[in-house]
Amino acid sequence: LTESLINSAALFTAQYFSDGWFKDFIVDALFGGLGSFLVFVPQIFILTFVIGLLEDSGYMSSAAIICHRFFSAFGLNGQSFVPMLSAHACAIPAIYAARTIASPRRRFITMMTLPLIPCSARLPVYSLFVTALIPPTTYMGGLIGAQGISFFALYAFGWIATLIISIIFSKTLSKKQPDTPFVVELTPYRLPHWQPLIMRAYNYSKKFTLEAGPLIFAVTVVVWVLGYFPNSGDLNSSFLAGMGKFIEPVFTPLGLDWRYGVAILTSFLAREVFVSTLGTLFSIGGADDNIAGLADHITSNGLTFGAGLALLVFFAIALQCVSTVATLKNEIHSKKLAWGLYVFYGALAYVLAIITYWLV
């Protein structure tokens, strides 16, 4: 609904401008920049509201106790399970949900590892490369499919990475953070009060819009300018393509060419943008709705199994979402640490991707 409203506003505004770069800037950069962060607001509101329901109904304390033994082995506590569960939808509301964790140390570790949880934005990328690399073979009379197993493996890989990194952070970065014992009051189940829940969800949504929105908007406009000029929207000959060709040697060890480099650069806006960018570069219209067609095209253009698997490993680990970085910066009150985490996950993803490519 948010996307359709913004697109309708963009089309309505566009009719008052003649064709040219300024009209494209208004429609794609300005309205696109607004949409790049406003589209998260409904998710933040709904997930924050649901988490508030869990808290106020008395369910949260019981679930935290059930999960505590498992999570404590990885430097977390039972209260970490709700943020990590909601991170499967989006890391941004999950980071806000981490405020419910009483221990500053455990809250810090949880927030720093949430970007590793497989989120919905990774699904188009996973769908593309699983379709391209894994044949639609089925087992046990069609009950189990090779592609389904592959999806499960990607989610399991994300969770395993999350728990391993949690242990590492608990022994390094978080030592300066104060810790408190895990004490949870078992509250009785009760009906929640609706007005405070709605106000809390509204305040979190407003906070994200005002604090993270400007950074996301600025990055979106910059990427649009680099992708539009100097040839009026021809992505293959744009400044962005030039940057992709310049950094192509970085992706050569992964068996990838400059087109994948450009798609990775644009995916900093949002991970799912990777698919539409590749579709544009491979001249596949409507790539978001034609995953199978794009998958066949990139396979026929020489993508090997090793290169595709390396790219999946990269996407599973790398922190490529500017919205997540902006939210982390505001929540941990450290620009240096938020961008440091971005660099760390990017470097780790790159190294693991190279290892994957050469092993396969």
Side-chain angles (χ1 to χ4, degrees), residues 194-213:
W194 301 106
Q195 187 174 359
L197 287 178
I198 294 173
M199 286 305 301
R200 182 192 306 175
Y202 168 77
N203 287 331
Y204 278 166
S205 303
K206 180 180 177 182
K207 179 181 175 67
F208 169 77
T209 303
L210 296 179
E211 294 184 1

Side-chain angles (χ1 to χ4, degrees), residues 29-30 44 74 78 92 138 151 200 209 224 253 306 316 333 347:
L30 295 188
I44 294 170
F74 302 97
I92 296 167
T138 58
F151 261 99
R200 182 192 306 175
T209 303
W224 181 88
H333 307 293

Side-chain angles (χ1 to χ4, degrees), residues 237-258:
S237 59
S238 65
F239 292 131
L240 196 61
M243 292 172 62
K245 293 173 183 177
F246 178 76
I247 64 173
E248 186 175 29
V250 175
F251 296 98
T252 300
L254 305 182
L256 304 171
D257 61 27
W258 67 272

Side-chain angles (χ1 to χ4, degrees), residues 205-273:
S205 303
K206 180 180 177 182
K207 179 181 175 67
F208 169 77
T209 303
L210 296 179
E211 294 184 1
L215 175 60
I216 301 167
F217 178 81
V219 172
T220 303
V221 172
V222 169
V223 171
W224 181 88
V225 170
L226 292 174
Y228 188 87
F229 293 103
N231 292 316
S232 301
D234 182 4
L235 188 57
N236 284 279
S237 59
S238 65
F239 292 131
L240 196 61
M243 292 172 62
K245 293 173 183 177
F246 178 76
I247 64 173
E248 186 175 29
V250 175
F251 296 98
T252 300
L254 305 182
L256 304 171
D257 61 27
W258 67 272
R259 292 172 293 189
Y260 296 94
V262 170
I264 289 173
L265 288 176
T266 59
S267 68
F268 185 52
L269 299 176
R271 292 180 178 96
E272 63 269 27
V273 175

